[in-house]
Structures are given as structure tokens and as C-alpha cells.
């Protein structure tokens, strides 16, 4: 879940949003250098870009928040990339207090979705869904349920214009607490779709308090994940008729360290037989150890994939993007720093790709056809058109 405290801390620490273009033609092997071209920032205020979705090298949306009025008001923010410049487009901020966009799905030049939440000054939270029609962004009502309240949406993915999924969390009085929220758009309206509110780890049943990542291969092959697992990654699958929890490897120990909680922060897929889940694990104690997590679905089962060896292995991965079964990228931070750590999958193993020109925060990845890769953060971003 992405709430106000984390956003405020992030903005205070890293300031404005800037953009760079990355041409990784010289960065095909681990440790290779890269060439960068700077693009001036779109805005010069305290903004925080939370997600990016690309259709091509000349069509991408980025969304997040803009801190206004001496940081007392948080407003929605959307920026569009046309291949040469970014342009801020007006977006509704219904409450005028705290309106946040966490995820975006770029469907076509005349169709895009952004999701997040709105919070009034009294603390009432509701899901926020906005649609781009080629001219402007408008707010669209979300799904409703007699037992649902305090809804937040964290991510969105589109199979088509009439098949869109959004995930997050809500308070469900029937479940007696906060559980994962999954909504679906059928081309006409959004509705809340039932999904499992619990899973079993080591013989103990646990609740699923949130969903924060989603990816789709087809109308009958959609994945969602939670960042709140206990000694196992919590991943759900839609088969065209129902959601179910899919078993993942038990994680009592990882890299020789005891594991307490497991977070999946991002999903990516190129086919029904090639799905990636990345995030991190946290151990026990006051100074609990952290390890990055990479798991892969081969069409039959989820399995752990080793991290690259070395002292710069991130203590968690924030995002993953896949261009093909032999070309995937993951992003984290070098231990104890805010310096991005890029990793590349070549079909056999993950390896580091050195990006010495990177000096700011980069947290999100998005892949598009024709070997296009976007990487985005508060202070800068990259565009690759060479895979």
C-alpha cells in the first residue's frame, strides 16, 4: 500500500522529477558502461512519479502526485511522453486534500487508466479511478460493495479496452479487516471481483491484507501479488472465471538467513509460460536482514531464481519488466544507498549492468514492443529503444 507518509518522505528526500534518455547499446553485458542524454524536467516542483506505462518509444504515461501549497495539499499528476518531450496533462483531484495516483495502464492513444486513492481531511479514503479519452482525464466510479470501505488501488493493467484489472486493498466487514481488493472494468463499468482473502504458510492460515502488483497475458491469464506474505510469496491467478492462490516456494530461509515476511512488489510477463515476480524478504529482529527476491513461473510452477553474486546485491527489488524470455530487467537499490542497481536476465542468469551516470532515484520499469524500456523515478528516468 502506498500512503501519505511514504510519499512525503520520498519527496522531501529527492525533490523534483527529471528525465534522461538511455541508449543501452553499449550495456549488453554486466558491468558495461552506457550513454545518456539528459532531457529537462517537465516540472520544477515537488512531484513524485509512482508508475509508468509505455506502448512504444513515443507513447508513454507516467503518474504520481504533486505537492502543492507548501506540501499541505497532495494532488494527482499525469505526464505524457510523445517521443521527444513530456507534457503534464490536467487530472482530477476530487478532495483537494490528498489525491494520489499509484498506477497507470496505457491502452491506446485514446484510452488510458490511472488508479490510486483519495483521502478527505477527515481521513475517509476511497478508490480513485481516472480514464484518458484522448483529450482529457475524467474520474470514473469504481466498483461498490455493501461490505467494502476505505479502498485504495495500487496498480492497473489492461488486456484490452474492455478488459481492465485494478488491484489494491479495502476494509471488508465480511472478512473482519483489511484484505486485497481486485476490481474489473468490462468496457462499461467497474465492479469488485471476489478473490481469496487468506492463504496458508507452514500450516498456518494468514490473511491477504493487500494486492499491490498485477500483470495480464490474456483474458484468462492474469496474475496479482501481495507485499505482505509470511515466509512465502503471496500470488493469485485469474483463469477467466475465478481468482485463486497459487503455491510458491516456502521461504523459511533465504541466502542462509531466516525469513519472516515476503513482499512481491512487481510482476512482468511475456507469455503464459514466462512470468516474473520480484520484491524482497525481511528477517527477524531489530536489525532484520533483507534479501532480494526473484521468482519465475514457467507455466507449471513458481521457482526461486538466484540473484547475481556480489556485495552490491540489492536488499529488495522494486520493479521488473520483460521484453522477451531472454531479455528481462529488474531494478533495486545498492545496499544502504539510493543508487539504482539494474539487473538483466539473458535467458540463463541474472547479472548486473553498471549504469554509472545514474545518480538519482529510479524505482519503476515498463516494457513495450520493439525493444522499448522505460525506467522512472522521482529525480530521473531512462528510455531504451535497443532492449
Amino acid at each position: 500500500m502506498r500512503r501519505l507518509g511514504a510519499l512525503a518522505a520520498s519527496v522531501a528526500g529527492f525533490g523534483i522529477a527529471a528525465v534522461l534518455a538511455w541508449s543501452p547499446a553499449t550495456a549488453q553485458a554486466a558491468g558495461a558502461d552506457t550513454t545518456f542524454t539528459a532531457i529537462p524536467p517537465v516540472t520544477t516542483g515537488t512531484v513524485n512519479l509512482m508508475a509508468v506505462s509505455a506502448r512504444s518509444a513515443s507513447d508513454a504515461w507516467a503518474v504520481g502526485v504533486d505537492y502543492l501549497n507548501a506540501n499541505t495539499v497532495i494532488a494527482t499528476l499525469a505526464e505524457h511522453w510523445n517521443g521527444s518531450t513530456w507534457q503534464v496533462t490536467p487530472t482530477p483531484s476530487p478532495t483537494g486534500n490528498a489525491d494520489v495516483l499509484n498506477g497507470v495502464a496505457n491502452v491506446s492513444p485514446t484510452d488510458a487508466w490511472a488508479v490510486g486513492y483519495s483521502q478527505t481531511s477527515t481521513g475517509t479514503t476511497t478508490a480513485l479511478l481516472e480514464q484518458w479519452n484522448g483529450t482529457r482525464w475524467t474520474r470514473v466510479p469504481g466498483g461498490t460493495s455493501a461490505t467494502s470501505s476505505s479502498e485504495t488501488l495500487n496498480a492497473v493493467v489492461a488486456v484490452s479496452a474492455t478488459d481492465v484489472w485494478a488491484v489494491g486493498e479495502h476494509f471488508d466487514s465480511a472478512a473482519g479487516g483489511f484484505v486485497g481488493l481486485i476490481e474489473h472494468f468490462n468496457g462499461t463499468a467497474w465492479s469488485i471481483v471476489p478473490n481469496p482473502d487468506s492463504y496458508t504458510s507452514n500450516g498456518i492460515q494468514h490473511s491477504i491484507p493487500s494486492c499491490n502488483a498485477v500483470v495480464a497475458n490474456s483474458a484468462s491469464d492474469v496474475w496479482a501479488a501481495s507485499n505482505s506474505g509470511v515466509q512465502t510469496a503471496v500470488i493469485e491467478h485469474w483463469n477467466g472465471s475465478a481468482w485463486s492462490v497459487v503455491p510458491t516456494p516456502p521461504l523459511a530461509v533465504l541466502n542462509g538467513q531466516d525469513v519472516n515476511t515476503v513482499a512481491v512488489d512487481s510482476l512482468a510477463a511475456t507469455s503464459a509460460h514466462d512470468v516474473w515476480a520480484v520484491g524482497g524478504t525481511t528477517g527477524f529482529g531489530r536489525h532484520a536482514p533483507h534479501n532480494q527476491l526473484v521468482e519465475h513461473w514457467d507455466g507449471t510452477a513458481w521457482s526461486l531464481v538466484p540473484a547475481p553474486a556480489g556485495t552490491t546485491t540489492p536488499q529488495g527489488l522494486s520493479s521488473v519488466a520483460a521484453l522477451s524470455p531472454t531479455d528481462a530487467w529488474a531494478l533495486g537499490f545498492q545496499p544502504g544507498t539510493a543508487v539504482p542497481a539494474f539487473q538483466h536476465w539473458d535467458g540463463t542468469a541474472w547479472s548486473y549492468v553498471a549504469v554509472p551516470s545514474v545518480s538519482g532515484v529510479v524505482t519503476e520499469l515498463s516494457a513495450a514492443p520493439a525493444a522499448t524500456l522505460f525506467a522512472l523515478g522521482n529525480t530521473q528516468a531512462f528510455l531504451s529503444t535497443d532492449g
Side-chain angles (χ1 to χ4, degrees):
M1 181 170 70
R2 298 171 179 173
R3 289 295 177 114
L4 304 182
L7 290 176
S10 179
V11 168
F14 302 114
I16 64 171
V19 181
L20 298 177
W22 176 27
S23 176
T26 60
Q28 298 304 307
D33 200 350
T34 57
T35 302
F36 297 90
T37 303
I39 299 174
V42 183
T43 57
T44 57
T46 52
V47 305
N48 186 7
L49 297 174
M50 305 286 288
V52 59
S53 178
R55 291 184 62 251
S56 69
S58 59
D59 182 10
W61 283 100
V63 301
V65 296
D66 192 358
Y67 286 74
L68 307 174
N69 194 26
N71 292 349
T72 61
V73 174
I74 302 177
T76 58
L77 173 70
E79 303 179 3
H80 183 258
W81 170 259
N82 63 9
S84 58
T85 60
W86 292 88
Q87 181 178 7
V88 175
T89 59
T91 48
S93 292
T95 69
N97 179 63
D99 300 290
V100 177
L101 294 178
N102 285 327
V104 62
N106 191 352
V107 186
S108 74
T110 59
D111 188 14
W113 286 95
V115 303
Y117 68 93
S118 291
Q119 187 176 74
T120 66
S121 58
T122 59
T124 301
T125 303
T126 56
L128 178 60
L129 300 101
E130 301 186 2
Q131 185 178 27
W132 170 257
N133 66 1
T135 304
R136 64 191 181 101
W137 289 93
T138 56
R139 187 182 182 188
V140 177
T144 59
S145 167
T147 64
S148 177
S149 62
S150 299
E151 303 97 350
T152 295
L153 293 173
N154 297 323
V156 61
V157 68
V159 179
S160 69
T162 58
D163 188 1
V164 187
W165 292 93
V167 302
E169 61 271 345
H170 65 153
F171 184 87
D172 186 348
S173 59
F178 278 92
V179 293
L181 170 65
I182 298 181
E183 298 199 23
H184 182 258
F185 180 72
N186 63 4
T188 303
W190 286 90
S191 61
I192 295 177
V193 180
N195 65 295
D197 59 17
S198 65
Y199 67 100
T200 300
S201 176
N202 293 328
I204 301 174
Q205 190 175 50
H206 303 271
S207 66
I208 303 175
S210 68
C211 292
N212 63 298
V214 63
V215 69
N217 287 307
S218 70
S220 59
D221 186 11
V222 185
W223 295 91
S226 173
N227 62 356
S228 300
V230 177
Q231 295 189 335
T232 190
V234 179
I235 301 177
E236 302 180 30
H237 183 256
W238 171 259
N239 64 3
S241 58
W243 285 94
S244 62
V245 174
V246 179
T248 58
L251 289 169
V253 177
L254 182 63
N255 296 337
Q257 297 174 323
D258 291 339
V259 171
N260 181 13
T261 59
V262 181
V264 176
D265 291 315
S266 183
L267 296 167
T270 64
S271 73
H273 306 283
D274 183 30
V275 186
W276 291 99
V278 305
T281 65
T282 302
F284 295 90
R286 183 177 179 183
H287 301 289
H290 298 268
N291 284 286
Q292 79 167 45
L293 174 73
V294 179
E295 298 195 16
H296 183 259
W297 172 263
D298 63 2
T300 302
W302 285 96
S303 61
L304 286 170
V305 181
T311 58
T312 58
T313 298
Q315 295 175 323
L317 295 171
S318 60
S319 191
V320 63
L323 293 162
S324 75
T326 60
D327 189 6
W329 293 80
L331 180 60
F333 295 112
Q334 295 181 22
T337 75
V339 178
F342 285 85
Q343 297 178 19
H344 182 254
W345 171 260
D346 62 3
T348 302
W350 287 93
S351 59
Y352 291 109
V353 175
V355 188
S357 297
V358 179
S359 58
V361 173
V362 182
T363 59
E364 303 296 326
L365 294 169
S366 178
T372 298
L373 181 76
F374 277 81
L376 180 74
N378 287 14
T379 58
Q380 58 187 5
F382 310 111
L383 167 62
S384 165
T385 56
D386 199 77

